[in-house]
Amino acid sequence: MEEALELLEATRRIHGIEVKLELPGETVLARTGARRTRQVLLLLLSHAADHAGEGSVRVVLDAPDDFGDEPPRFQVVTSAARLSARELQAVFLSPMLVGPAHRRLARARELVESVGGALGVERGDGEGLTVTVELPAPGLACW
């Protein structure tokens, strides 16, 4: 996550927007390639930066539980973003149906699903957007 953020800052993609990373102290393992995961992060952070306005972006990474019931996941929370119900539906149908403003979100959904993960989007009351990505767990054994 830190590498993706550094790349976006170096290319001036994040233009003065505060991005807060909330990472656990230990490494989080997932059954995906680092390159594909980085692509998803770049798309989601770019989308969040485009829609953050005066707000900030928060990225939260959660490790899987020890029993394998909860997969590893991360959330990108943009407090000032807006997404209509129609746009949200288009994100889950096809990137070609989505306008240019939310095309990165639709492409990220396709990438996540291609590796066996799931992407969910929740709209806040009036404003705010939370994108949750659940990645495949690395084969943790249950007791």
Side-chain angles (χ1 to χ4, degrees), residues 1-2 22-30 60-67 70-73 138 140:
M1 290 195 171
E2 292 167 345
E22 296 178 17
L23 306 174
E26 58 192 43
T27 302
V28 175
L29 299 175
V60 181
L61 176 64
D62 295 323
D65 70 346
D66 293 335
F67 300 104
E70 294 292 326
R73 72 174 145 228
L140 299 172

Side-chain angles (χ1 to χ4, degrees), residues 14 100 103 132 140:
I14 296 180
R103 194 161 289 147
T132 303
L140 299 172

Side-chain angles (χ1 to χ4, degrees), residues 44 47 51 76 81-110 113 119-126 128-132:
L44 292 177
H47 179 265
H51 298 282
V76 178
R82 294 181 182 183
L83 186 69
S84 71
R86 188 175 139 271
E87 289 172 321
L88 181 60
Q89 184 180 13
V91 163
F92 287 96
L93 292 175
S94 170
M96 301 312 290
L97 298 174
V98 180
H102 299 294
R103 194 161 289 147
R104 287 183 191 88
L105 183 58
R107 293 204 189 282
R109 180 197 54 82
E110 284 186 329
E113 289 178 357
L119 184 141
V121 180
E122 295 177 27
R123 295 183 307 149
D125 295 334
L129 192 66
T130 301
V131 179
T132 303

